[in-house]
Amino acid sequence: MSTSAVPTGPGRSGEPDADGLLAEQLLRLTRRLHRIQKRHLEPVGITPAQSRLLRTVAHFGEPPRMADLAARLEVVPRAVTSLVDGLEAVDRVRRVPDPSNRRVVRIELTDAGRATLRELRSARRAAAEDILAPLTAAQREVLGGLLSALVDPGPEGGC
């Protein structure tokens, strides 16, 4: 048996570390997806992070607070502030006072922000098509199920 450059797992003397290889493939896919998405978002004039913030604002029933956005996006509030600053500078969102508590600031989409969301849908579809092009419809369906299991593993598999 020849030695290979494949990492081995603890206690598996010589067996390839399949989980480690799979994790590496997922990381490479994530980086590739980010590059493709970024390329498709450039004409819209928005970053992937700004795109995610706009979509998140749109999913709230009423304009969310910065803290709501930070929690939903799973980032620190300062990151949301920077994203909102950038989007506000190009008139895609605006800060508005909370009607029941003047100390609270909410974030709402502007007309330009809603128009950008429509453009983003097309850009995201094009990016998805680029990344999924090698797969058949059946493979895409299987991949969707597998990714759902990984993204939301349920109460037993959560962190």
Side-chain angles (χ1 to χ4, degrees):
M1 184 163 120
S2 69
T3 357
S4 107
V6 175
T8 58
R12 294 187 180 161
S13 68
E15 289 181 30
D17 180 5
D19 290 344
L21 292 173
L22 188 56
E24 180 60 31
Q25 286 177 305
L26 287 170
L27 288 171
R28 287 176 45 216
L29 177 61
T30 300
R31 287 191 294 267
R32 182 168 177 245
L33 181 58
H34 186 77
R35 280 191 313 272
I36 289 171
Q37 184 179 27
K38 188 175 178 181
R39 187 179 73 232
H40 282 278
L41 292 177
E42 277 177 9
V44 181
I46 199 165
T47 67
Q50 290 173 329
S51 165
R52 190 167 173 235
L53 183 104
L54 277 180
R55 289 190 326 271
T56 302
V57 170
H59 282 96
F60 277 90
E62 63 179 0
R65 298 172 307 137
M66 300 278 254
D68 299 329
L69 290 169
R72 180 77 55 94
L73 294 169
E74 298 178 343
V75 298
V76 296
R78 178 71 192 124
V80 171
T81 300
S82 297
L83 290 170
V84 168
D85 288 346
L87 289 168
E88 191 173 39
V90 292
D91 192 39
R92 288 184 170 132
V93 298
R94 69 178 144 250
R95 288 172 167 92
V96 295
D98 183 291
S100 60
N101 183 347
R102 323 182 288 180
R103 294 174 297 168
V104 174
V105 173
R106 294 189 175 269
I107 307 304
E108 69 179 13
L109 293 172
T110 62
D111 289 340
R114 283 186 279 283
T116 300
L117 278 173
R118 288 189 291 276
E119 290 180 70
L120 288 175
R121 285 185 195 102
S122 297
R124 285 170 52 90
R125 273 193 300 274
E129 187 52 44
D130 274 3
I131 199 93
L132 298 172
L135 302 180
T136 66
Q139 289 172 322
R140 290 177 188 203
E141 190 173 325
V142 169
L143 178 61
L146 294 170
L147 290 174
S148 291
L150 292 173
V151 170
D152 188 16
E156 324 66 63
C159 295

